[in-house]
Amino acid sequence: MARRSGTLERPDADFLALANTIYSQCSQHILEWVIDGDRFNEFDSLLKAANGAYEANSDKATKNAMTSAAKKAAFGELRRFLGAFIDYLEVNIHVPDAAIEYMGLRPRKRRASQPLPPPKERLVLLIRKLHDDMTLYASRPDQGHPTESAGPKRYHGFMIRYKLEGEAIYRMAVSTRLRHTLRFDRADTGRRVCISAAWVNPRLEPGPWSDEITEIIG
């Protein structure tokens, strides 16, 4: 019953609408879906009791402590029954997947989530130098300052590409945090390095690259 709590624990009117929809569909397809007669008869009895108790408790002329208690008891019995009946429908191979979804029940098969596309947002790259190291900070345009915690949750992290003066091929690095430190050899002190970065999705596909920044090592 715990896994049904999200389906059945809802306001009275919504719960009754759900129960009536399930009942209506099962009534129309009782032979086609090979619905067990005893189960359906119990459903019919409990639903009638819940509908009647709800109407009596909704009428200001008849509503009182007794009608409220009767409604609570009738709804409790119906919820307990439906918890098992929904399981019965979901394992019943004669009930189509489309019917399960039409009745407002959890689909038998969860749809595979679509992979995130490459990011469309351009990041802002900030650099702080300390001796031969450079710490790169990725931030969003609306933040305007380095950060370690705030960032687009839909992104896996950011990718850095950089090359030293005289090199033809970029070196690459990926950080799942919003900062990354590049460490250079003491022999590279005084050389220029060109750096840019881009957000990446979980498949490490980069979005648009930031403006390239040129710094001097050391």
Side-chain angles (χ1 to χ4, degrees), residues 114-129:
Q114 296 298 313
L116 288 173
K120 295 181 179 180
E121 184 179 45
R122 187 185 302 272
L123 65 73
V124 174
L125 184 63
L126 300 172
I127 300 176
R128 287 180 179 170
K129 296 168 54 177

Side-chain angles (χ1 to χ4, degrees), residues 3-23:
R3 59 190 288 266
R4 296 289 166 209
S5 60
T7 302
L8 301 179
E9 295 301 327
R10 54 180 70 192
D12 290 347
D14 292 344
F15 170 69
L16 267 187
L18 172 69
N20 281 299
T21 296
I22 297 172
Y23 178 86

Side-chain angles (χ1 to χ4, degrees), residues 39-87:
R39 292 176 190 265
F40 185 77
N41 289 338
E42 184 179 2
F43 189 8
D44 179 79
S45 176
L46 292 172
L47 183 59
K48 284 179 179 176
N51 278 320
Y54 179 76
E55 290 178 8
N57 195 60
S58 298
D59 188 340
K60 292 182 179 180
T62 59
K63 183 176 181 178
N64 54 43
M66 292 181 63
T67 61
S68 178
K71 186 214 70 171
K72 182 177 180 181
F75 272 56
E77 289 295 319
L78 181 58
R79 278 195 173 91
R80 279 189 288 274
F81 170 82
L82 273 181
F85 189 73
I86 289 171
D87 285 336

Side-chain angles (χ1 to χ4, degrees), residues 121-127 136-139 158-161 170 194-199 206-213:
E121 184 179 45
R122 187 185 302 272
L123 65 73
V124 174
L125 184 63
L126 300 172
I127 300 176
L136 282 52
Y137 295 87
S139 63
F158 73 109
M159 181 177 290
I160 304 114
R161 65 181 185 186
Y170 281 101
C194 297
I195 307 169
S196 59
W199 298 119
W209 292 93
S210 67
D211 294 333
E212 195 165 72
I213 299 175

Side-chain angles (χ1 to χ4, degrees), residues 177-191:
R177 300 179 64 190
L178 295 182
R179 70 173 183 175
H180 182 77
T181 299
L182 299 178
R183 304 187 186 281
F184 300 96
D185 295 333
R186 183 59 59 88
D188 292 324
T189 300
R191 295 180 66 182

Side-chain angles (χ1 to χ4, degrees), residues 132-213:
D132 295 324
D133 297 341
M134 294 185 188
T135 299
L136 282 52
Y137 295 87
S139 63
R140 303 180 69 180
D142 58 350
Q143 291 173 349
H145 59 276
T147 178
E148 293 187 45
S149 58
K153 293 182 179 179
R154 61 189 177 278
Y155 301 157
H156 178 72
F158 73 109
M159 181 177 290
I160 304 114
R161 65 181 185 186
Y162 64 102
K163 63 180 179 180
L164 277 66
E165 185 178 10
E167 293 181 338
I169 300 175
Y170 281 101
R171 306 181 193 187
M172 309 295 290
V174 174
S175 175
T176 55
R177 300 179 64 190
L178 295 182
R179 70 173 183 175
H180 182 77
T181 299
L182 299 178
R183 304 187 186 281
F184 300 96
D185 295 333
R186 183 59 59 88
D188 292 324
T189 300
R191 295 180 66 182
R192 296 178 183 272
V193 58
C194 297
I195 307 169
S196 59
W199 298 119
V200 292
N201 64 12
R203 292 182 292 171
L204 301 185
E205 296 172 320
W209 292 93
S210 67
D211 294 333
E212 195 165 72
I213 299 175

